[in-house]
Amino acid sequence: MLEFFNNPDIAIGTKILEIVYFLIGLILIYVGINNLQDKENPKSATTALFWGLLGVVIAFGRWIPEKYVGVLILIMAVPPIFNLVKPGKNDVPTDEYTEKMSNKIGYKIFIPALMIGLFAILFATVFTKLGALVGVTLGVICAAITLKIMNNDTTISTFLADNKRLLDMVGPLCMLPMFLASLGAIFTEAGVGEVIANLVGNIIPKGNVNVGIIVFAIGMVLFTMIMGNAFAAITVMTVGIGAPFVLQYGADPALIGMLALTTGYCGTLMTPMAANFNIVPVAILEMEDKNGVIKNQIIPALIMIVVQIVYMIIFK
């Protein structure tokens, strides 16, 4: 472990992220222990097993041999498969207290949330090259401090309890983005992009960049709907369509790459596979229609797909 942090060839941003992953892992282990001690959780042992092993993999995965990590993931997957991960007891604020804080803080409650996004942008593009994830981490810390200033009742225990409550509410679905991103890398290594290139080569006229852009964008949307994550789709679709049928003929890679990714996000708005965007809010808001979030996003998503395709064609 010390060799990793003392290695000058490893970027400082990577080292900071490893610390972040370690802290996230500890929080997950805490959730597991808390559920194990929860007498009201009917599946306390299996729930604790899931969260505990997930925490171990995230916190110490870099230093655990790969084959053992694979074994831990296989064991960790058993409780969700058999529906043995259940939410435990969570203390929530009373309606009276919530209303009192709402009247006191008002719309200032959005300041901490905005800080997270702002720090991500500043750290990724403006002040440093440490990356957006490092910025998000610092943004979360500053947001927590801001919340403490806004409400002196807020303590570390409050944050830990709310972490547990949110993870209990989301359940194993919290792993879906990580698995889908990994699946994208696996697809790329397996040569799926090359297979797509061969198939699309029979459809797109050689050298017709405009048609290539349209197919690239629509492919990003559809593949993202399948994968649930535009990051998982962008590598495969760029290898299969973007590079050979668009970028090869002189299109601006920065513009095409950026808009292809955001076009993929339009697919995110229309799929239940994007659990953290479209399923989690349903659970948190206790909506009766499980597809209510998606239904409200389809029209804006379709409009934005068209706008971005037109933009790419005009400014390529």
Side-chain angles (χ1 to χ4, degrees):
M1 184 180 295
L2 290 178
E3 291 179 4
F4 172 82
F5 288 103
N6 291 328
N7 191 338
D9 296 328
I10 299 176
I12 184 66
T14 303
K15 295 176 182 177
I16 294 174
L17 280 180
E18 202 58 48
I19 297 173
V20 174
Y21 294 142
F22 177 74
L23 295 175
I24 293 173
L26 291 183
I27 291 173
L28 291 167
I29 293 171
Y30 163 81
V31 172
I33 295 173
N34 196 287
N35 273 294
L36 184 62
Q37 297 173 338
D38 186 356
K39 303 301 182 182
E40 296 185 22
N41 188 334
K43 305 294 181 182
S44 60
T46 48
T47 301
L49 179 67
F50 170 77
W51 291 117
L53 290 182
L54 179 59
V56 169
V57 170
I58 291 179
F60 307 105
R62 180 179 289 275
W63 295 281
I64 300 175
E66 294 178 357
K67 60 181 179 181
Y68 296 122
V69 171
V71 171
L72 291 177
I73 291 175
L74 289 175
I75 297 172
M76 180 180 67
V78 173
I81 290 174
F82 292 99
N83 197 28
L84 298 177
V85 180
K86 300 293 183 180
K89 178 184 178 182
N90 290 289
D91 296 325
V92 297
T94 63
D95 292 340
E96 293 78 10
Y97 183 81
T98 301
E99 183 176 358
K100 176 184 174 182
M101 289 297 102
S102 176
N103 294 332
K104 175 184 176 181
I105 298 175
Y107 287 109
K108 289 185 291 185
I109 192 61
F110 291 105
I111 294 176
L114 292 173
M115 290 175 69
I116 298 173
L118 178 62
F119 272 83
I121 294 172
L122 293 178
F123 269 70
T125 61
V126 181
F127 294 128
T128 75
K129 299 298 182 181
L130 294 177
L133 290 178
V134 175
V136 167
T137 302
L138 185 58
V140 168
I141 294 172
C142 292
I145 295 172
T146 304
L147 287 169
K148 174 65 177 177
I149 295 172
M150 288 180 174
N151 180 10
N152 198 47
D153 294 341
T154 303
T155 64
I156 294 178
S157 297
T158 305
F159 293 121
L160 289 174
D162 278 349
N163 268 307
K164 177 184 178 300
R165 182 161 60 94
L166 180 60
L167 288 170
D168 275 349
M169 188 179 297
V170 177
L173 283 175
C174 71
M175 297 173 58
L176 191 56
M178 292 182 282
F179 277 142
L180 292 174
S182 301
L183 189 59
I186 293 172
F187 278 4
T188 302
E189 287 294 322
V192 174
E194 296 176 4
V195 173
I196 293 174
N198 293 331
L199 294 173
V200 173
N202 299 321
I203 302 173
I204 302 177
K206 188 175 181 179
N208 193 323
V209 179
N210 291 342
V211 175
I213 287 173
I214 293 172
V215 175
F216 186 25
I218 294 176
M220 275 297 301
V221 172
L222 296 177
F223 210 73
T224 300
M225 291 179 70
I226 296 171
M227 302 291 289
N229 189 314
F231 281 114
I234 188 68
T235 305
V236 176
M237 297 308 297
T238 299
V239 171
I241 303 176
F245 300 105
V246 180
L247 302 180
Q248 179 178 318
Y249 297 101
D252 184 351
L255 183 145
I256 297 298
M258 177 181 66
L259 289 176
L261 189 61
T262 54
T263 303
Y265 289 141
C266 294
T268 300
L269 298 175
M270 300 186 291
T271 176
M273 292 298 290
N276 50 331
F277 289 101
N278 302 329
I279 302 302
V280 172
V282 172
I284 293 176
L285 299 175
E286 299 180 352
M287 298 173 61
E288 293 183 2
D289 187 352
K290 292 184 178 180
N291 295 313
V293 172
I294 295 175
K295 290 177 181 178
N296 283 284
Q297 293 174 164
I298 288 178
I299 299 301
L302 293 175
I303 293 172
M304 288 307 302
I305 291 168
V306 174
V307 169
Q308 290 174 105
I309 290 175
V310 172
Y311 191 98
M312 281 191 279
I313 291 174
I314 293 175
F315 296 102
K316 64 179 182 295

mmCIF file of all heavy atoms in Angstrom, residues 212-228:
data_model
loop_
_atom_site.group_PDB
_atom_site.id
_atom_site.type_symbol
_atom_site.label_atom_id
_atom_site.label_comp_id
_atom_site.label_asym_id
_atom_site.label_seq_id
_atom_site.Cartn_x
_atom_site.Cartn_y
_atom_site.Cartn_z
ATOM 1 N N GLY A 212 -23.127 9.031 -41.173
ATOM 2 C CA GLY A 212 -22.344 8.438 -40.086
ATOM 3 C C GLY A 212 -22.669 9.061 -38.742
ATOM 4 O O GLY A 212 -22.785 8.358 -37.734
ATOM 5 N N ILE A 213 -22.827 10.386 -38.723
ATOM 6 C CA ILE A 213 -23.167 11.084 -37.481
ATOM 7 C C ILE A 213 -24.532 10.634 -36.972
ATOM 8 O O ILE A 213 -24.718 10.380 -35.773
ATOM 9 C CB ILE A 213 -23.142 12.610 -37.700
ATOM 10 C CG1 ILE A 213 -21.696 13.100 -37.824
ATOM 11 C CG2 ILE A 213 -23.859 13.343 -36.563
ATOM 12 C CD1 ILE A 213 -21.568 14.557 -38.203
ATOM 13 N N ILE A 214 -25.498 10.527 -37.884
ATOM 14 C CA ILE A 214 -26.851 10.135 -37.484
ATOM 15 C C ILE A 214 -26.844 8.717 -36.900
ATOM 16 O O ILE A 214 -27.427 8.462 -35.837
ATOM 17 C CB ILE A 214 -27.811 10.207 -38.698
ATOM 18 C CG1 ILE A 214 -27.977 11.673 -39.139
ATOM 19 C CG2 ILE A 214 -29.168 9.600 -38.341
ATOM 20 C CD1 ILE A 214 -28.749 11.820 -40.438
ATOM 21 N N VAL A 215 -26.161 7.809 -37.575
ATOM 22 C CA VAL A 215 -26.102 6.430 -37.087
ATOM 23 C C VAL A 215 -25.330 6.360 -35.769
ATOM 24 O O VAL A 215 -25.720 5.630 -34.845
ATOM 25 C CB VAL A 215 -25.447 5.513 -38.139
ATOM 26 C CG1 VAL A 215 -25.275 4.101 -37.591
ATOM 27 C CG2 VAL A 215 -26.289 5.486 -39.407
ATOM 28 N N PHE A 216 -24.244 7.115 -35.663
ATOM 29 C CA PHE A 216 -23.448 7.162 -34.433
ATOM 30 C C PHE A 216 -24.300 7.642 -33.268
ATOM 31 O O PHE A 216 -24.317 7.033 -32.182
ATOM 32 C CB PHE A 216 -22.250 8.090 -34.659
ATOM 33 C CG PHE A 216 -21.267 8.126 -33.512
ATOM 34 C CD1 PHE A 216 -21.131 7.059 -32.620
ATOM 35 C CD2 PHE A 216 -20.448 9.231 -33.332
ATOM 36 C CE1 PHE A 216 -20.209 7.092 -31.583
ATOM 37 C CE2 PHE A 216 -19.529 9.282 -32.287
ATOM 38 C CZ PHE A 216 -19.409 8.212 -31.417
ATOM 39 N N ALA A 217 -25.038 8.741 -33.483
ATOM 40 C CA ALA A 217 -25.853 9.317 -32.411
ATOM 41 C C ALA A 217 -26.978 8.372 -31.995
ATOM 42 O O ALA A 217 -27.206 8.130 -30.798
ATOM 43 C CB ALA A 217 -26.423 10.662 -32.861
ATOM 44 N N ILE A 218 -27.699 7.845 -32.978
ATOM 45 C CA ILE A 218 -28.804 6.931 -32.653
ATOM 46 C C ILE A 218 -28.263 5.658 -32.010
ATOM 47 O O ILE A 218 -28.864 5.106 -31.079
ATOM 48 C CB ILE A 218 -29.611 6.602 -33.926
ATOM 49 C CG1 ILE A 218 -30.306 7.874 -34.432
ATOM 50 C CG2 ILE A 218 -30.641 5.513 -33.641
ATOM 51 C CD1 ILE A 218 -31.055 7.683 -35.736
ATOM 52 N N GLY A 219 -27.104 5.188 -32.490
ATOM 53 C CA GLY A 219 -26.479 4.019 -31.871
ATOM 54 C C GLY A 219 -26.120 4.271 -30.425
ATOM 55 O O GLY A 219 -26.294 3.401 -29.559
ATOM 56 N N MET A 220 -25.620 5.492 -30.139
ATOM 57 C CA MET A 220 -25.307 5.850 -28.754
ATOM 58 C C MET A 220 -26.558 5.819 -27.884
ATOM 59 O O MET A 220 -26.531 5.338 -26.746
ATOM 60 C CB MET A 220 -24.674 7.244 -28.702
ATOM 61 C CG MET A 220 -23.182 7.277 -28.922
ATOM 62 S SD MET A 220 -22.241 6.387 -27.651
ATOM 63 C CE MET A 220 -22.726 7.268 -26.164
ATOM 64 N N VAL A 221 -27.655 6.332 -28.419
ATOM 65 C CA VAL A 221 -28.914 6.344 -27.664
ATOM 66 C C VAL A 221 -29.367 4.922 -27.354
ATOM 67 O O VAL A 221 -29.671 4.578 -26.204
ATOM 68 C CB VAL A 221 -30.016 7.090 -28.456
ATOM 69 C CG1 VAL A 221 -31.369 6.929 -27.755
ATOM 70 C CG2 VAL A 221 -29.676 8.563 -28.599
ATOM 71 N N LEU A 222 -29.405 4.075 -28.383
ATOM 72 C CA LEU A 222 -29.912 2.709 -28.209
ATOM 73 C C LEU A 222 -28.991 1.879 -27.319
ATOM 74 O O LEU A 222 -29.460 1.148 -26.437
ATOM 75 C CB LEU A 222 -30.066 2.038 -29.581
ATOM 76 C CG LEU A 222 -31.090 2.671 -30.529
ATOM 77 C CD1 LEU A 222 -31.098 1.959 -31.859
ATOM 78 C CD2 LEU A 222 -32.485 2.653 -29.907
ATOM 79 N N PHE A 223 -27.670 2.013 -27.534
ATOM 80 C CA PHE A 223 -26.745 1.217 -26.736
ATOM 81 C C PHE A 223 -26.746 1.683 -25.284
ATOM 82 O O PHE A 223 -26.603 0.876 -24.361
ATOM 83 C CB PHE A 223 -25.331 1.311 -27.325
ATOM 84 C CG PHE A 223 -24.504 0.081 -27.096
ATOM 85 C CD1 PHE A 223 -24.761 -1.080 -27.800
ATOM 86 C CD2 PHE A 223 -23.483 0.066 -26.163
ATOM 87 C CE1 PHE A 223 -24.008 -2.221 -27.595
ATOM 88 C CE2 PHE A 223 -22.726 -1.074 -25.941
ATOM 89 C CZ PHE A 223 -22.993 -2.223 -26.658
ATOM 90 N N THR A 224 -26.923 2.986 -25.075
ATOM 91 C CA THR A 224 -27.011 3.501 -23.707
ATOM 92 C C THR A 224 -28.273 3.001 -23.032
ATOM 93 O O THR A 224 -28.272 2.702 -21.831
ATOM 94 C CB THR A 224 -26.988 5.039 -23.700
ATOM 95 O OG1 THR A 224 -25.766 5.497 -24.279
ATOM 96 C CG2 THR A 224 -27.093 5.577 -22.283
ATOM 97 N N MET A 225 -29.370 2.908 -23.776
ATOM 98 C CA MET A 225 -30.613 2.378 -23.199
ATOM 99 C C MET A 225 -30.430 0.928 -22.773
ATOM 100 O O MET A 225 -31.005 0.490 -21.775
ATOM 101 C CB MET A 225 -31.755 2.498 -24.217
ATOM 102 C CG MET A 225 -32.181 3.933 -24.483
ATOM 103 S SD MET A 225 -33.514 4.074 -25.693
ATOM 104 C CE MET A 225 -34.876 3.384 -24.743
ATOM 105 N N ILE A 226 -29.613 0.193 -23.511
ATOM 106 C CA ILE A 226 -29.343 -1.196 -23.145
ATOM 107 C C ILE A 226 -28.403 -1.273 -21.952
ATOM 108 O O ILE A 226 -28.625 -2.037 -21.005
ATOM 109 C CB ILE A 226 -28.737 -1.960 -24.342
ATOM 110 C CG1 ILE A 226 -29.755 -2.036 -25.484
ATOM 111 C CG2 ILE A 226 -28.291 -3.360 -23.923
ATOM 112 C CD1 ILE A 226 -29.181 -2.576 -26.770
ATOM 113 N N MET A 227 -27.335 -0.456 -21.996
ATOM 114 C CA MET A 227 -26.300 -0.498 -20.963
ATOM 115 C C MET A 227 -26.689 0.300 -19.733
ATOM 116 O O MET A 227 -26.212 0.030 -18.621
ATOM 117 C CB MET A 227 -24.986 0.054 -21.518
ATOM 118 C CG MET A 227 -24.471 -0.673 -22.748
ATOM 119 S SD MET A 227 -23.928 -2.334 -22.367
ATOM 120 C CE MET A 227 -22.442 -1.978 -21.449
ATOM 121 N N GLY A 228 -27.542 1.328 -19.907
ATOM 122 C CA GLY A 228 -27.939 2.178 -18.792
ATOM 123 C C GLY A 228 -26.943 3.261 -18.468
ATOM 124 O O GLY A 228 -27.145 4.046 -17.552
#
